[in-house]
Amino acid sequence: YEKRYQPIADGSKAKMNVGAIAVMPEGWKLAPRDRLPKSLKKEMKGLAWAPYSKEQPNILVAGPVPGERYESMVLPILAPDPNSNSNVVFDKASIFFGGNRGRGQVYPEGNQSNNNQFFSANTGTVTDIDGMKLSVTLGDGTVATQEVLPGATIVVKVGDSVAKDQPITTNPNVGGFGQAEKEVVLQDMTRVYAYCALSVSIFLSQLSFVLKKKQFEKVQLAEGF
């Protein structure tokens, strides 16, 4: 992240931000900060997670935050208690994660941002380049003007022939989006204790059988059998 830069709205370059989202099963939520140990708070580096909405506290979001500082993000979660919530059972659960790096390529209104590679809208010859505006003379002699947003570098020059949908700028986008799915197990500690007790009892039973067999073999040797 120290070497990765992206164009901001005015076309100048700046360091990238990152963001993340976590979608958990219903009943799971963000762990209260007063219940976090100091070691975990230190590992989080001040990162603030927040519920997506009051109606959906199981969906958590973070960012945008500086990517240089938060190359990895720690998410403290609080599992539900099936003993107090009848809608939750002890079972496997899937948690979905998404991570975004850099600015988006489309604004909420639907129009392109300047974090894009631009392509020729027409087929013809480039006859003029004025700043971020290109004039292309078409086959019938008409001139079409196309404006690209600041941030990328124009890669064609006056006199070049261009085809429709041919790249006319570099691609300034160095960000991206990724997602993953992980499984966790919500386990009843009573079951864990019962399993441990059963394992210990089986071990002791097997051990007693082995010791008894050794004792019987010694008795046989002593009696001359």
Side-chain angles (χ1 to χ4, degrees):
Y1 286 97
E2 294 180 0
K3 298 180 180 179
R4 287 180 176 267
Y5 288 82
Q6 63 175 359
I8 55 178
D10 63 359
S12 58
K13 299 294 181 69
K15 291 185 177 181
M16 288 196 302
N17 289 333
V18 294
I21 182 172
V23 181
M24 303 179 293
E26 292 187 9
W28 297 64
K29 58 184 180 180
L30 181 66
R33 194 164 184 80
D34 57 0
R35 295 183 60 175
L36 302 181
K38 290 184 178 180
S39 58
L40 184 57
K41 290 181 180 179
K42 183 178 180 181
E43 190 177 353
M44 291 179 66
K45 301 178 184 178
L47 180 64
W49 289 87
Y52 180 73
S53 66
K54 291 183 179 180
E55 294 76 20
Q56 295 176 307
N58 60 310
I59 301 178
L60 305 175
V61 294
V65 292
E68 185 177 351
R69 176 175 174 82
Y70 297 101
E71 290 193 20
S72 61
M73 297 182 177
V74 178
L75 171 61
I77 59 177
L78 183 64
D81 183 5
N83 297 318
S84 58
N85 188 344
S86 59
N87 295 323
V88 179
V89 295
F90 293 108
D91 198 2
K92 282 185 179 181
S94 295
I95 300 180
F96 303 91
F97 298 95
N100 183 72
R101 181 178 68 186
R103 290 178 62 229
Q105 294 179 282
V106 180
Y107 288 121
E109 297 80 8
N111 54 316
Q112 276 188 321
S113 73
N114 63 331
N115 192 29
N116 278 281
Q117 184 176 30
F118 291 87
F119 301 85
S120 176
N122 301 280
T123 297
T125 303
V126 179
T127 53
D128 185 49
I129 299 177
D130 182 13
M132 304 305 292
K133 290 183 179 181
L134 286 83
S135 297
V136 177
T137 301
L138 310 184
D140 59 2
T142 59
V143 178
T145 301
Q146 180 178 354
E147 183 174 3
V148 299
L149 299 178
T153 302
I154 296 176
V155 295
V156 295
K157 60 183 182 296
V158 175
D160 286 351
S161 297
V162 293
K164 186 177 180 180
D165 297 329
Q166 175 183 330
I168 55 177
T169 70
T170 56
N171 187 358
N173 181 27
V174 292
F177 180 84
Q179 58 188 19
E181 176 184 357
K182 298 294 182 181
E183 284 190 345
V184 295
V185 178
L186 185 60
Q187 185 63 271
D188 185 0
M189 289 307 298
T190 303
R191 297 180 183 178
V192 177
Y193 297 145
Y195 171 76
C196 292
L198 177 63
S199 300
V200 171
S201 63
I202 293 175
F203 171 75
L204 293 177
S205 299
Q206 293 292 334
L207 180 62
S208 62
F209 288 148
V210 172
L211 294 177
K212 191 67 176 177
K213 182 181 179 181
K214 292 293 184 181
Q215 184 182 19
F216 180 72
E217 290 175 350
K218 289 182 179 180
V219 171
Q220 284 186 321
L221 289 175
E223 293 179 353
F225 290 100

